[in-house]
Amino acid sequence: MSLESKLENLSLGDEPSVVEAIKAEGADKSGFAAGIGSLVAKAAAKDEKTACAALATAQAVAEGAPEAEAFNKQVLASCLEQALNKSPAVKKAAKDCALAICKNITPFAMKSLLPIIFAELPVEKKWQIRVLALECLAVFKDTAPKQLGNALPEVVPEVTACMWDTKKQVKSAATAAMKGACEVIGNKDIEHMTEHIVKAITKPKEVPEIMHEMAGVTFVQSVESPALAMVVPLLLRGLREKQTATKRQSAVIINNMSKLVDNPLDAAPFLPLLLPALETNASSIADPEARQVTENAVGQLQRLKGLADKAISVRGDTSKVSEELKKAIGSEPSQSLQTVIDHASVIATCMMDLTFMEDLQWKKFVAAQFKGFLDDKKAEDVAEATRVVCEKMLEIPEEEDEDDDAEELCNCQFTLAYGTKILLHNTKMKLKRGKRYGLLGGNDSGKTTLMRAISNNQVEGFPDVWKRYGLLGGNDSGKTTLMRAISNNQVEGFPDVTEVRTVFVEADIQGEQSHLSCVDYVFADEKIQALNISKDEVRSILATVGFVPDGKAKPDHAVSTLSGGWRMKLALARAMLQKADILLLDEPTNHLDVINVAWVKNYLNSLTNVTSIIVSHDSGLLNDCCTNILQIENLKLHAFKGNLDEFVKIKPSARSYFSFTESKLKFKFPQPGPIEGVKSKGKALMKMSKCTFTYPGNEKPTLFDISVQVSLSSRVACVGENGAGKSTVPGNEKPTLFDISVQVSLSSRVACVGENGAGKSTMIKLLVGEIEPQTGDVWKHPNARIAYVAQHAFHHIESHLNKTPNEYIRWRYANNGEDKESLVKVTMQFTDEEIKLQQKPFEIQFVDDETGKITKVKKVVTELVGGRKTNKSKDYEYEVKYAGSTVDSGEYLPQKTLKKMGWEKAMKAVDLKIAQRAGLYVRPLSTKNVEQHLEDAACPGSLARTTDAGSTVDSGEYLPQKTLKKMGWEKAMKAVDLKIAQRAGLYVRPLSTKNVEQHLEDCGLSREFGTHYRMSALSGGQKVKVVLAAAMWNQPHILILDEPTNYLDRESLGALAGAIEGFDGGVVMITHNNEFCSKLCPETWVMDAGHLETKGDADWMLKQDEKIEDQQQITEVTDAAGNVTKLKGQKKKMSKKEEKQLVKKIKNKLKNGIDLDSDEEEFAIEKDLI
């Protein structure tokens, strides 16, 4: 009797014979396929015996005859419906059969059961059926975890709806199924959050807190559809919350996660859900910052959508696979075979989704489905033929490389991180010999980190070049000989290390090597020694780039004497000696003048057999040299053919890397404020007059007869050849600078330009007091505050790399706002002659105020205490301490007298401290006023600040003067008034973390890097911003920038230019960037052959002779607790007539009971009218 007949008359106990028949003859020949309809009907029968027999048979087939699963799975619907049967036996049999079908089906076929299960989940179905269906889903977490993860985008919405059910049984089963689903998401970044995610579905009030926790997750692993399926419902809830903070956090998480989606098709199912919600928030959120964050997330998802639309999707498309299986079989299938083909198509599609594409895998899972329909050989051939076609469906066509004949040096896929920050994720990089690649990306995108990683063999898959091994041995043991032999491929069997040799070129000289001569510095490199290069060869190469005995840079002079331009040429010369296959160049034109930039371009273009990767903000270099562009964007490395202009045509948004006008970034510098005794912006604040300077060891002076002046109106950029004296090399045999006179004021805008080594930096160092002239005068207004950013800007912070930028600024200004760096300059240190002069008794004349008697006493001054005042002659007097005194004398001596006694530098130090303290304004803490500089001071007059009893912090409240007077605080108010009067406008800006954090943000460094990263972990561009922010903290009157464009990308340069334009102080800049200085500076000082030539509008300064009183005044202040108080402008002194009229007005108001305004009340109290 065939199975078809047996299935018509089933009874309990027939299960073994059914299984045996299927195993012996197959599902088709045995008749099981033809009789499956009868089995399905009997399994759904109301009769207990019939139903139990059918369910037991289906369970036995599921457990013992897997070749029949394409037909047997149809019984699952009947099993689920039987959950309502009144017979306990039928219920049990139905549950056992349903679970057996789910547990034993081929894992890749589990998706074929989902439509059957989902059909039983709607709320219209009885709860018993829904519970059993959810229990079936929960089975897959153990039997098919990867496949369940792949199906989560369909599973999660169905289960989520059940978690809201009013029936606790359904709710409980749904929660268990969801927890099981969470276990298979396969993303370690969020697996610890799964319990919270499940909770958020049933408890919406938990969403804000859970979103806060999610916002703190660092996403590292690739994000695939299972993780998205689990998180998207939570993100949607977050986007729909009322709180702006929660909406913002949701947008941040979406932005971060979407950047780690490698396959856009993973995100495709969720984009129609997330994009509309994000776009709604982007147009409705009131907070500008949160709105911007949301807009960023929208842009990121739109990018993903564009990629997903372009991708060819075969996900879940069984029709294509089914057609391929039919083609491979070669004949029109029967109804039964079509059922098997449809089942095998589901399996094959799931294997494609999970990239199970090996031939053995398809033989095991796909070919096995045709047992009994095709012979084994034919089934395997059908599976293999279909697999080959399906594999081609998954291929992503790559752009054909026109240079097929060029040797491929690198073709790798890698992930790159710096600390906890992911820079590149699962990105590809292909490099070909002889190509010159421009590496683009914003500051902090990881350009330099990538090149360092390549140089240090830290890029996965990159050819291993300079592998580092510790090689030990005594003298004459052969260590160096072995290294040279390996390098020269003379060791038999050793891999060919010269195939890909990388050299990282950077101009920064290590401090411990700065004393070496140029020749010794190059020769000391272990790679140079390994290449068996002699010192003569080193000298020869150095000579080709200009290091000659009679030149500006001499090969036997220390590298510490080189200007920035010559240091870069030294680094290039060292690279030339190493005969690199790949040159890694980090800002190769930094510090270089036009002549040397042209030399670099010619050199790079001549390297037809060397590959270069160039990081540069010089658009001319990238246009003239690059054959290809590599762009870091959204954690990926994108390759483009052509130079920069060609790239910008394809990606217009990249114009912001090189155009000031395209910059959206904004810097903001604190305004300098007034200077005592300076009423005109054109008045000189700094001067140099006929200064001559000679470096130790020079035969002749480096700087001759230099005279410069700097005032509040100055905008100066210093230019000249490399070696012209801005950063001069000792040993010049002819004068570098001669007979130069300049000045800088508050309105100055001057560019100082010239060749490398022309002496520009040396002149600036004289001006700011870094070095002292042998002859001539350097003068600075005692109340002027100067910010100086040196050419090698990192020297400011090199001893503090273990501090965060925030900690560094707070350390530097910790002593009441005094700048520690400014007090250690050479010009502030006493010479031996000055110390001897200070120790000699000096005759001091005292006049008795009552009798007028003059007394002369010889005394020795041991210290200037720090006080300063103006005498009747309007000259400064300084508070001193005499020898033998244990306390401050409280006496003041005239400036001229102290100068004769050798205390000139000490007076300068006092002036400097006073000037620095005068510029410390409070930085605001409120989000609405973050761009204002507010002071931390009590408000004199009508209100005084108080602290409540029992409070450990300031209450932040202010009480009227009358009230406090009645409360017995009159003397305390007088003390407060006295302190404020003594400060005389020196509004202190507290060195709090928050204030410094905001200041760093104003200078372009985000809070994350400003407060939470040590400076050793920052990029070059970030370090420059730290140095700039530190220099600007005390609100300088003059800003001096030596090569400010180095390391900064164009967006940052545009922001810097904008900040300089809005700065009310003087600016002096040395730069080789003509576009930058011409935009800002109407006057130019040109260093050429030792002479200074002034070009442009030399009278520009005089036209800026604005009165300082016209400057915008601060109108609000914030104390350390964040309380905002309105400030009144400086009052104009009233004439006697005006005062009399005001007294009359106040008396009339008091008589008529009219309230006085705050100014009138203050005046009335001062004049004792109330």
Side-chain angles (χ1 to χ4, degrees):
M1 186 172 63
S2 71
L3 280 185
E4 187 176 0
S5 301
K6 182 172 278 192
L7 293 175
E8 288 285 345
N9 302 286
L10 268 179
S11 60
L12 283 172
D14 288 343
E15 308 90 75
S17 60
V18 173
V19 172
E20 287 300 322
I22 296 172
K23 293 179 76 172
E25 301 177 60
D28 187 35
K29 291 181 180 179
S30 67
F32 183 78
I36 189 63
S38 177
L39 183 63
V40 171
K42 287 182 178 298
K46 293 183 178 180
D47 180 70
E48 182 177 315
K49 287 185 178 180
T50 303
C52 284
L55 291 168
T57 300
Q59 180 180 347
V61 171
E63 293 172 344
E67 54 266 53
E69 68 179 29
F71 306 96
N72 194 55
K73 68 182 181 181
Q74 298 172 36
V75 181
L76 180 60
S78 299
C79 296
L80 296 176
E81 291 291 341
Q82 287 289 28
L84 278 178
N85 199 296
K86 294 180 180 179
S87 167
V90 174
K91 280 190 196 179
K92 184 177 184 307
K95 182 175 181 178
D96 290 345
C97 183
L99 295 177
I101 291 171
C102 294
K103 286 179 180 176
N104 292 285
I105 197 166
T106 300
F108 293 101
M110 59 83 59
K111 269 193 173 184
S112 67
L113 300 180
L114 293 182
I116 302 171
I117 295 172
F118 292 163
E120 305 297 338
L121 288 179
V123 71
E124 296 81 15
K125 294 287 184 178
K126 297 294 184 181
W127 68 265
Q128 295 91 338
I129 297 175
R130 300 170 71 199
V131 167
L132 182 55
L134 289 165
E135 288 176 350
C136 288
L137 274 179
V139 164
F140 297 131
K141 77 178 179 66
D142 298 317
T143 62
K146 291 181 179 177
Q147 293 79 4
L148 175 60
N150 181 50
L152 280 184
E154 300 100 67
V155 171
V156 169
E158 299 287 344
V159 178
T160 300
C162 294
M163 292 176 71
W164 284 86
D165 201 86
T166 53
K167 275 288 182 181
K168 66 179 181 180
Q169 294 91 337
V170 175
K171 189 174 183 178
S172 177
T175 302
M178 185 63 83
K179 287 182 178 178
C182 286
E183 293 177 16
V184 301
I185 59 175
N187 191 297
K188 294 182 180 180
D189 296 335
I190 60 172
E191 62 183 11
H192 67 287
M193 293 290 299
T194 53
E195 195 173 321
H196 298 291
I197 293 170
V198 172
K199 184 193 292 185
I201 295 172
T202 55
K203 296 181 179 179
K205 291 183 179 179
E206 300 282 341
V207 170
E209 181 59 31
I210 294 170
M211 292 303 303
H212 183 73
E213 291 185 37
M214 280 284 290
V217 173
T218 300
F219 292 99
V220 177
Q221 191 174 340
S222 293
V223 175
E224 298 173 342
S225 57
L228 288 169
M230 196 56 62
V231 174
V232 164
L234 176 63
L235 295 174
L236 283 171
R237 284 189 178 277
L239 291 173
R240 292 164 184 162
E241 281 287 316
K242 291 182 179 179
Q243 298 177 13
T244 298
T246 306
K247 291 179 179 179
R248 181 190 179 282
Q249 286 171 335
S250 300
V252 169
I253 296 168
I254 291 170
N255 194 24
N256 290 340
M257 290 189 73
S258 60
K259 288 178 181 177
L260 297 178
V261 175
D262 288 334
N263 188 345
L265 295 175
D266 280 322
F270 310 104
L271 297 176
L273 299 172
L274 292 174
L275 256 176
L278 274 171
E279 288 170 343
T280 299
N281 286 356
S283 61
S284 62
I285 292 177
D287 184 354
E289 193 271 342
R291 190 167 61 248
Q292 182 60 53
V293 168
T294 307
E295 287 171 357
N296 293 343
V298 169
Q300 182 65 20
L301 288 196
Q302 287 174 339
R303 181 189 68 86
L304 263 183
K305 185 177 185 299
L307 295 173
D309 291 342
K310 292 178 184 177
I312 301 172
S313 176
V314 292
R315 292 198 170 195
D317 190 352
T318 57
S319 61
K320 291 182 180 179
V321 181
S322 179
E323 288 300 319
E324 293 301 326
L325 286 169
K326 287 181 187 178
K327 285 182 187 177
I329 291 170
S331 60
E332 189 64 30
S334 65
Q335 186 177 352
S336 297
L337 181 55
Q338 184 61 52
T339 301
V340 174
I341 289 173
D342 292 341
H343 184 67
S345 298
V346 175
I347 293 174
T349 306
C350 188
M351 293 180 77
M352 291 169 69
D353 289 347
L354 296 171
T355 62
F356 278 72
M357 298 304 294
E358 296 296 328
D359 53 356
L360 292 176
Q361 294 168 336
W362 280 59
K363 178 182 176 181
K364 178 179 179 181
F365 294 112
V366 178
Q369 303 304 314
F370 294 97
K371 185 178 181 182
F373 291 88
L374 305 173
D375 61 59
D376 290 347
K377 178 70 169 60
K378 178 66 173 176
E380 290 174 10
D381 290 345
V382 167
E384 177 60 15
T386 307
R387 184 193 70 82
V388 171
V389 175
C390 290
E391 198 165 36
K392 290 180 179 177
M393 292 182 188
L394 295 175
E395 288 179 0
I396 301 173
E398 293 187 5
E399 183 183 354
E400 292 186 10
D401 198 332
E402 297 172 2
D403 306 300
D404 291 331
D405 57 336
E407 179 188 353
E408 188 177 273
L409 297 180
C410 162
N411 189 353
C412 58
Q413 184 169 336
F414 61 97
T415 293
L416 181 68
Y418 195 103
T420 60
K421 185 180 181 183
I422 303 299
L423 300 173
L424 291 165
H425 181 75
N426 279 358
T427 194
K428 293 181 179 180
M429 179 169 64
K430 183 188 289 186
L431 302 176
K432 295 221 166 181
R433 184 177 293 279
K435 300 299 176 187
R436 294 177 292 280
Y437 298 87
L439 181 57
L440 305 185
N443 275 140
D444 321 331
S445 61
K447 303 184 295 295
T448 301
T449 303
L450 172 60
M451 295 209 300
R452 285 191 187 282
I454 292 173
S455 178
N456 295 331
N457 287 323
Q458 294 170 338
V459 172
E460 184 180 357
F462 197 92
D464 195 7
V465 193
W466 294 97
K467 197 142 188 170
R468 286 166 173 75
Y469 294 98
L471 188 58
L472 304 179
N475 291 335
D476 305 324
S477 63
K479 299 191 298 295
T480 303
T481 304
L482 175 58
M483 289 174 63
R484 288 174 178 165
I486 291 172
S487 179
N488 294 329
N489 290 325
Q490 296 170 341
V491 177
E492 184 178 353
F494 199 89
D496 186 1
V497 296
T498 61
E499 286 184 0
V500 181
R501 178 178 293 158
T502 62
V503 177
F504 187 29
V505 182
E506 56 180 344
D508 289 340
I509 307 294
Q510 299 298 321
E512 61 271 18
Q513 295 181 316
S514 60
H515 66 286
L516 297 175
S517 70
C518 296
V519 173
D520 290 338
Y521 174 76
V522 174
F523 192 73
D525 190 302
E526 62 179 18
K527 294 179 183 178
I528 297 292
Q529 294 187 16
L531 290 168
N532 202 21
I533 293 172
S534 67
K535 282 195 175 183
D536 289 339
E537 290 178 89
V538 173
R539 286 183 182 276
S540 176
I541 288 292
L542 286 176
T544 64
V545 297
F547 287 84
V548 291
D550 59 347
K552 293 177 181 176
K554 297 174 175 57
D556 293 313
H557 280 197
V559 294
S560 60
T561 66
L562 298 179
S563 67
W566 284 102
R567 288 188 183 201
M568 179 55 75
K569 294 186 78 172
L570 180 65
L572 284 168
R574 183 172 59 175
M576 291 164 65
L577 283 162
Q578 296 180 43
K579 301 172 185 175
D581 292 297
I582 299 178
L583 271 180
L584 307 170
L585 300 134
D586 189 9
E587 302 288 0
T589 58
N590 268 6
H591 311 290
L592 295 182
D593 55 37
V594 177
I595 297 170
N596 283 309
V597 168
W599 177 86
V600 170
K601 290 178 182 178
N602 292 333
Y603 171 67
L604 291 176
N605 289 331
S606 70
L607 301 175
T608 56
N609 205 38
V610 177
T611 299
S612 304
I613 302 179
I614 306 165
V615 172
S616 178
H617 296 117
D618 184 343
S619 54
L621 176 73
L622 298 179
N623 262 330
D624 295 342
C625 295
C626 291
T627 60
N628 300 73
I629 297 294
L630 299 175
Q631 183 196 23
I632 297 177
E633 186 179 40
N634 294 311
L635 308 185
K636 298 292 182 184
L637 195 62
H638 305 280
F640 301 86
K641 289 181 180 177
N643 63 6
L644 180 64
D645 284 344
E646 294 298 316
F647 170 65
V648 170
K649 289 177 185 176
I650 302 170
K651 299 271 291 187
S653 59
R655 197 182 303 279
S656 63
Y657 296 146
F658 304 96
S659 173
F660 295 149
T661 57
E662 297 288 333
S663 175
K664 295 180 180 177
L665 184 65
K666 302 295 180 188
F667 289 3
K668 184 181 179 184
F669 291 161
Q671 297 303 338
I675 303 181
E676 182 185 350
V678 177
K679 302 300 181 183
S680 167
K681 291 189 75 174
K683 183 174 181 178
L685 296 184
M686 302 181 77
K687 295 180 183 179
M688 286 178 61
S689 179
K690 296 185 178 180
C691 291
T692 297
F693 175 78
T694 306
Y695 275 107
N698 274 18
E699 296 177 9
K700 292 197 176 180
T702 305
L703 305 177
F704 280 79
D705 289 346
I706 298 175
S707 300
V708 297
Q709 289 188 330
V710 187
S711 75
L712 279 174
S713 61
S714 298
R715 290 291 188 278
V716 186
C718 185
V719 296
E721 292 186 10
N722 285 347
K726 61 181 176 67
S727 182
T728 303
V729 182
N732 289 346
E733 296 180 357
K734 59 179 181 179
T736 306
L737 302 177
F738 184 80
D739 196 22
I740 298 171
S741 297
V742 290
Q743 71 173 26
V744 184
S745 71
L746 261 179
S747 60
S748 294
R749 290 285 192 279
V750 186
C752 185
V753 297
E755 292 184 0
N756 292 131
K760 303 184 293 291
S761 293
T762 304
M763 186 189 75
I764 293 302
K765 287 179 181 178
L766 284 174
L767 188 63
V768 299
E770 291 279 334
I771 52 180
E772 284 186 298
Q774 277 76 30
T775 62
D777 296 319
V778 178
W779 175 86
K780 178 184 79 70
H781 192 286
N783 289 333
R785 297 184 294 276
I786 311 300
Y788 171 52
V789 178
Q791 182 184 58
H792 306 291
F794 301 161
H795 94 82
H796 294 280
I797 58 175
E798 62 186 8
S799 301
H800 307 280
L801 295 179
N802 61 340
K803 295 184 177 76
T804 67
N806 199 308
E807 290 170 343
Y808 166 66
I809 291 178
R810 286 187 284 123
W811 166 85
R812 180 167 164 177
Y813 291 94
N815 189 21
N816 294 321
E818 297 167 4
D819 185 357
K820 290 187 176 74
E821 284 201 2
S822 65
L823 300 176
V824 295
K825 296 176 181 176
V826 172
T827 53
M828 303 301 286
Q829 308 301 314
F830 295 125
T831 63
D832 292 339
E833 292 76 11
E834 288 170 331
I835 292 173
K836 288 180 181 178
L837 184 60
Q838 291 168 6
Q839 293 171 348
K840 292 173 63 176
F842 194 86
E843 187 177 272
I844 300 169
Q845 183 173 292
F846 297 97
V847 180
D848 190 296
D849 291 336
E850 294 182 2
T851 63
K853 183 180 178 182
I854 298 175
T855 306
K856 295 181 180 179
V857 181
K858 285 193 175 183
K859 290 193 174 187
V860 175
V861 174
T862 59
E863 182 184 350
L864 264 62
V865 177
R868 186 188 72 188
K869 67 179 183 180
T870 307
N871 59 22
K872 294 178 181 179
S873 303
K874 294 188 177 181
D875 291 328
Y876 283 137
E877 292 187 350
Y878 294 82
E879 188 176 5
V880 299
K881 182 177 180 180
Y882 293 119
S885 174
T886 56
V887 296
D888 298 345
S889 67
E891 296 182 11
Y892 288 76
L893 292 180
Q895 194 174 29
K896 293 178 181 179
T897 303
L898 287 169
K899 189 174 183 179
K900 293 177 183 177
M901 297 172 71
W903 289 96
E904 183 177 8
K905 289 178 180 175
M907 288 189 290
K908 286 183 179 179
V910 171
D911 293 339
L912 188 61
K913 291 178 182 179
I914 292 171
Q916 287 168 351
R917 287 197 297 266
L920 306 183
Y921 288 84
V922 156
R923 186 69 73 191
L925 301 178
S926 68
T927 54
K928 291 183 180 179
N929 298 311
V930 293
E931 293 182 349
Q932 301 299 317
H933 302 290
L934 308 175
E935 65 163 336
D936 179 29
C939 185
S942 59
L943 293 177
R945 189 164 166 208
T946 65
T947 300
D948 296 333
S951 173
T952 58
V953 296
D954 296 346
S955 67
E957 296 180 4
Y958 289 76
L959 295 179
Q961 192 175 42
K962 288 181 181 178
T963 305
L964 287 171
K965 190 173 183 178
K966 293 176 182 177
M967 295 171 68
W969 289 94
E970 185 176 5
K971 290 183 178 178
M973 287 190 292
K974 287 182 178 178
V976 170
D977 292 338
L978 182 62
K979 291 177 183 177
I980 294 171
Q982 288 170 340
R983 285 201 291 264
L986 310 186
Y987 301 124
V988 175
R989 173 167 55 176
L991 268 171
S992 67
T993 302
K994 286 287 184 184
N995 288 342
V996 176
E997 197 173 70
Q998 182 57 55
H999 177 70
L1000 286 164
E1001 280 199 330
D1002 286 344
C1003 293
L1005 192 68
S1006 68
R1007 299 186 180 200
E1008 179 183 3
F1009 296 104
T1011 303
H1012 304 292
Y1013 276 66
R1014 289 186 173 181
M1015 289 191 287
S1016 58
L1018 300 184
S1019 68
Q1022 289 171 323
K1023 287 177 179 175
V1024 169
K1025 292 173 186 176
V1026 173
V1027 173
L1028 186 63
M1032 296 301 295
W1033 172 258
N1034 68 348
Q1035 297 175 273
H1037 298 100
I1038 303 295
L1039 173 60
I1040 299 177
L1041 302 168
D1042 195 344
E1043 300 282 11
T1045 59
N1046 291 344
Y1047 298 101
L1048 292 180
D1049 59 19
R1050 282 302 175 102
E1051 188 175 31
S1052 296
L1053 283 180
L1056 177 60
I1060 290 174
E1061 283 181 330
F1063 181 56
D1064 283 343
V1067 178
V1068 181
M1069 66 176 76
I1070 298 175
T1071 181
H1072 294 298
N1073 190 320
N1074 181 62
E1075 182 185 0
F1076 185 75
C1077 67
S1078 62
K1079 174 183 171 68
L1080 298 169
C1081 303
E1083 183 182 357
T1084 305
W1085 299 342
V1086 182
M1087 292 281 196
D1088 184 27
H1091 295 272
L1092 181 68
E1093 180 184 0
T1094 302
K1095 293 184 178 181
D1097 187 2
D1099 296 327
W1100 177 81
M1101 248 193 316
L1102 301 177
K1103 299 173 186 175
Q1104 301 297 314
D1105 195 14
E1106 304 165 11
K1107 297 298 180 182
I1108 291 177
E1109 287 87 341
D1110 295 336
Q1111 291 184 43
Q1112 185 176 355
Q1113 295 189 15
I1114 293 174
T1115 58
E1116 286 183 327
V1117 296
T1118 298
D1119 58 27
N1123 306 298
V1124 180
T1125 306
K1126 298 290 182 183
L1127 271 187
K1128 299 169 186 175
Q1130 190 173 4
K1131 292 182 181 179
K1132 183 182 176 183
K1133 189 174 181 181
M1134 289 186 292
S1135 66
K1136 289 186 177 181
K1137 184 178 180 181
E1138 290 171 333
E1139 193 173 307
K1140 191 177 289 187
Q1141 288 174 343
L1142 182 57
V1143 169
K1144 185 177 180 181
K1145 181 180 177 182
I1146 290 172
K1147 285 182 177 180
N1148 285 335
K1149 278 192 173 185
L1150 293 173
K1151 182 178 179 181
N1152 297 322
I1154 301 172
D1155 291 337
L1156 304 178
D1157 63 29
S1158 58
D1159 288 339
E1160 292 169 341
E1161 185 177 12
E1162 188 177 338
F1163 180 81
I1165 292 171
E1166 184 184 342
K1167 298 298 181 181
D1168 291 327
L1169 298 176
I1170 56 174

